[in-house]
Amino acid sequence: MQPHIIPGNPPIEVILRHSTRARRISLRVSRLDGRVTLTLPKGVREAEALDFARQKQDWLRHQIARQPDQVQVGIGVELPFEGRPLLVTQGSGRRVDIAQGELRVPGSVDRTAARLQGWLKEMARDRLTAASDRYAARLGKSYSRITMRDTRSRWGSCSSAGALMYSWRLILAPATVLEYVAAHEVAHLKEMNHSSAFWDTVDDIHGPCMEQRKWLRDNSEFLHRYRFGD
């Protein structure tokens, strides 16, 4: 995918994406990070597609302006952990610690974001592994492995080989939301689709999940607003 710049105030970076399936030129502004993607059907020239994007630049700037502000994580920043807002502060000792509404990060201030990100990934793996084990046992299935990523388009996935993938940012969401995503992906070990049989499976191993699904729809972009220098 190639980036192009539409000049103006502010300038807009547009990522060009060629697609053999698309039937028309389309523009998409990601709710997660404001990234603009311009999709070109087969046979459409880049110049034509970019001209289409320039005609829509007022709409694009309006959509981008609606995105939540990015937050660079560091000392003094409020960061959610399992849905609870905590103040990031300078800690002592060797490990990240939670106490009195603070997320205390030891070591050099310059390394706060990186160290905190590593700890969050560790906590996410612990929580998601435990949840996946529990739901897989209820289902009577087993998975092959678990990996943590920082995905933008999905919170988890399950491959045909039984490999589970989760976004480590789920540790920022309420614990009930993390639990639901784990149950959702484990259910795919039995039903590799989103049929009624799949949702019945989710209900069987997890219980009702409409509240958690709504939370993700309403709050996904806010979990991606926190930047760790990556």
Side-chain angles (χ1 to χ4, degrees):
M1 294 190 292
Q2 301 171 288
H4 289 264
I5 302 296
I6 297 176
N9 185 25
I12 304 170
E13 181 177 286
V14 177
I15 304 297
L16 264 61
R17 174 177 173 270
H18 295 269
S19 172
T20 56
R21 295 184 178 182
R23 296 185 177 181
R24 58 185 176 83
I25 302 171
S26 65
L27 276 169
R28 178 179 179 272
V29 181
S30 171
R31 290 182 59 199
L32 301 182
D33 58 9
R35 183 178 300 180
V36 178
T37 302
L38 176 62
T39 300
L40 287 69
K42 183 178 180 180
V44 173
R45 294 179 298 109
E46 289 189 2
E48 179 183 350
L50 288 169
D51 185 58
F52 174 82
R54 281 190 287 270
Q55 293 176 32
K56 301 291 185 180
Q57 60 181 291
D58 289 343
W59 176 83
L60 286 172
R61 289 193 176 91
H62 176 70
Q63 296 300 313
I64 293 169
R66 294 174 58 192
Q67 303 299 313
D69 293 337
Q70 300 291 294
V71 177
Q72 183 59 49
V73 173
I75 301 299
V77 167
E78 196 171 72
L79 179 73
F81 176 76
E82 296 188 322
R84 176 189 174 195
L86 299 172
L87 183 67
V88 179
T89 62
Q90 178 88 50
S92 58
R94 295 186 176 183
R95 293 187 58 82
V96 174
D97 181 44
I98 296 176
Q100 298 178 336
E102 295 180 352
L103 198 49
R104 298 174 178 176
V105 186
S108 169
V109 171
D110 293 339
R111 293 281 301 159
T112 295
R115 187 157 193 174
L116 187 50
Q117 185 182 47
W119 180 80
L120 289 168
K121 290 179 179 180
E122 180 183 341
M123 293 298 102
R125 177 176 287 277
D126 288 348
R127 304 291 199 274
L128 285 161
T129 298
S132 299
D133 288 348
R134 187 167 60 256
Y135 292 123
R138 293 179 187 175
L139 191 61
K141 298 283 188 178
S142 60
Y143 58 87
S144 58
R145 68 178 186 274
I146 287 181
T147 56
M148 297 291 122
R149 296 180 184 172
D150 192 6
T151 50
R152 297 175 183 272
S153 60
R154 60 177 63 184
W155 292 108
S157 66
C158 176
S159 75
S160 58
L164 302 176
M165 182 283 295
Y166 297 108
S167 168
W168 62 263
R169 288 180 184 265
L170 285 166
I171 198 64
L172 306 179
T176 55
V177 173
L178 180 148
E179 288 279 332
Y180 155 67
V181 175
H184 181 116
E185 301 310 332
V186 166
H188 281 307
L189 294 171
K190 180 180 179 182
E191 299 286 344
M192 288 295 291
N193 50 60
H194 286 103
S195 64
S196 59
F198 166 79
W199 291 110
D200 287 344
T201 301
V202 175
D203 285 345
D204 287 343
I205 63 175
H206 174 274
C209 58
M210 291 302 297
E211 182 179 343
Q212 291 85 354
R213 293 175 66 189
K214 183 179 185 303
W215 193 96
L216 279 174
R217 286 196 300 270
D218 294 344
N219 297 279
S220 289
E221 63 267 35
F222 294 100
L223 300 186
H224 284 272
R225 68 193 295 236
Y226 298 98
R227 315 312 304 167
F228 294 80
D230 49 357

